[in-house]
Amino acid sequence: MKLTGNFYLENEKITFLFVVLDFGKKNIYLQYKNKIYDLRYLINKIKDKKIFFWIKLYYENKIFESHIKKVVESPEYKKKFFKFFELVIEIEFVNSNFPLVISKIIEIEPNFDEKKNNFLIYAVLANKIILKQSEKIQIFYKKCKIELGYYNSDFSKIFKLLGTYIELRKGYKILQISNIVNSNCFDLTKEKTIENFEKSGFLKKNKKNKNNKKDEIIENWIKDETFEKVKEKFDGILEDEIIKELLNF
């Protein structure tokens, strides 16, 4: 997914290209003196121009990403303008082939595969579908569930996938598609995701206590696997309760 636009400050204009990649990754390019540069390079290279000072603040404070999100998830398909102090920002989609499908991960579900002895991870997507017939733009929404693959990381990395966009055309296995919904389908369901992992036995969430300001996420499945491996190694030497104490269960 690509968006383009301009930064305006007084009589200056800098054109940009914002490329949204899968799972929160992105590339941002600026056009300056008829050449294309990576935004992060240019805002740190040029320090004597006011417009680059404001672009740097705009980017580093994540305001740029929040404005891109507003354009992407808007119930309209049109150019939008924003203001950041003295900087005026114009953002629109790059002209593309229709239909244009924007897919965002709003919920994650695990499902234990006994044959693989591992969790298969599913993602629930909100999809904004943009159609163009003649000059008329139509927008509608659907939800679907896709298969991301087997668990091979820590839960925090999986949890960070919430709110990121993916490109469905890359061949993800689609498991189901829901009825049409409205633009509210882009709202994240973080608590539902944690609940899904709790119900599967993957993890549990300890309630807040005096020592912990935040709920503690414990990956039960990983601890169970570790326990079984250690138990096998020390079978007949150490009792189960001692092994659990050593592993800090």
Side-chain angles (χ1 to χ4, degrees):
M1 178 169 51
K2 298 178 182 178
L3 298 100
T4 187
N6 297 292
F7 295 110
Y8 298 98
L9 181 67
E10 298 169 352
N11 295 322
E12 292 189 272
K13 182 179 83 169
I14 299 292
T15 299
F16 68 81
L17 175 66
F18 196 113
V19 183
V20 181
L21 303 172
D22 285 0
F23 308 122
K25 296 179 181 179
K26 60 187 178 294
N27 290 325
I28 312 172
Y29 305 99
L30 300 180
Q31 183 177 331
Y32 181 62
K33 292 186 176 180
N34 296 320
K35 292 185 179 180
I36 304 298
Y37 299 90
D38 183 274
L39 175 142
R40 286 160 291 192
Y41 167 80
L42 206 57
I43 59 177
N44 290 300
K45 180 74 172 177
I46 300 177
K47 300 181 183 294
D48 59 348
K49 292 184 72 67
K50 192 176 180 181
I51 192 168
F52 287 107
F53 167 79
W54 288 115
I55 293 173
K56 181 180 173 73
L57 282 182
Y58 181 66
Y59 169 74
E60 291 182 345
N61 284 280
K62 299 188 181 297
I63 309 299
F64 199 175
E65 288 183 48
S66 71
H67 286 168
I68 289 291
K69 179 183 174 182
K70 286 183 179 180
V71 175
V72 168
E73 299 182 16
S74 169
E76 303 172 302
Y77 180 80
K78 66 178 184 179
K79 183 185 301 182
K80 290 187 180 294
F81 290 88
F82 302 93
K83 188 89 183 290
F84 179 71
F85 294 96
E86 300 176 53
L87 196 66
V88 175
I89 307 98
E90 171 190 26
I91 305 175
E92 64 181 333
F93 282 97
V94 172
N95 290 333
S96 58
N97 295 325
F98 292 92
L100 175 61
V101 180
I102 297 165
S103 303
K104 177 182 177 181
I105 298 176
I106 59 168
E107 185 182 328
I108 300 173
E109 299 177 4
N111 184 50
F112 191 71
D113 185 334
E114 293 185 358
K115 291 183 179 179
K116 296 284 187 179
N117 192 34
N118 198 352
F119 280 91
L120 190 56
I121 306 300
Y122 301 134
V124 177
L125 307 181
N127 300 286
K128 174 182 175 181
I129 304 163
I130 305 170
L131 300 176
K132 185 176 182 180
Q133 294 181 342
S134 298
E135 294 302 315
K136 186 179 180 181
I137 295 291
Q138 289 183 308
I139 298 175
F140 61 96
Y141 301 87
K142 281 183 179 282
K143 282 186 181 179
C144 71
K145 183 188 291 187
I146 65 167
E147 184 180 296
L148 289 179
Y150 285 96
Y151 176 83
N152 63 357
S153 183
D154 60 83
F155 175 73
S156 63
K157 289 183 179 178
I158 293 177
F159 199 67
K160 286 177 182 176
L161 296 179
L162 286 172
T164 63
Y165 302 97
I166 67 167
E167 177 57 68
L168 269 182
R169 293 178 182 177
K170 290 186 177 178
Y172 292 99
K173 183 178 180 181
I174 299 176
L175 304 174
Q176 63 185 48
I177 300 174
S178 75
N179 294 326
I180 296 174
V181 292
N182 59 33
S183 59
N184 291 332
C185 68
F186 276 115
D187 295 340
L188 301 184
T189 54
K190 293 182 179 181
E191 287 301 320
K192 185 66 167 61
T193 292
I194 293 175
E195 184 181 316
N196 292 339
F197 277 83
E198 286 183 287
K199 285 182 177 179
S200 72
F202 184 95
L203 58 81
K204 70 177 180 180
K205 185 173 68 172
N206 283 349
K207 298 297 182 182
K208 297 178 182 178
N209 55 46
K210 294 180 180 178
N211 298 321
N212 294 320
K213 294 182 179 180
K214 296 182 179 180
D215 290 349
E216 182 183 9
I217 300 296
I218 299 176
E219 293 180 48
N220 283 342
W221 176 62
I222 298 300
K223 286 196 168 188
D224 290 343
E225 271 211 335
T226 305
F227 173 73
E228 291 300 327
K229 289 178 181 178
V230 175
K231 181 181 177 181
E232 183 179 344
K233 188 172 183 179
F234 291 95
D235 188 34
I237 301 174
L238 296 176
E239 294 181 359
D240 290 0
E241 292 304 315
I242 295 176
I243 294 173
K244 288 182 179 180
E245 283 185 28
L246 290 172
L247 294 174
N248 195 27
F249 270 71

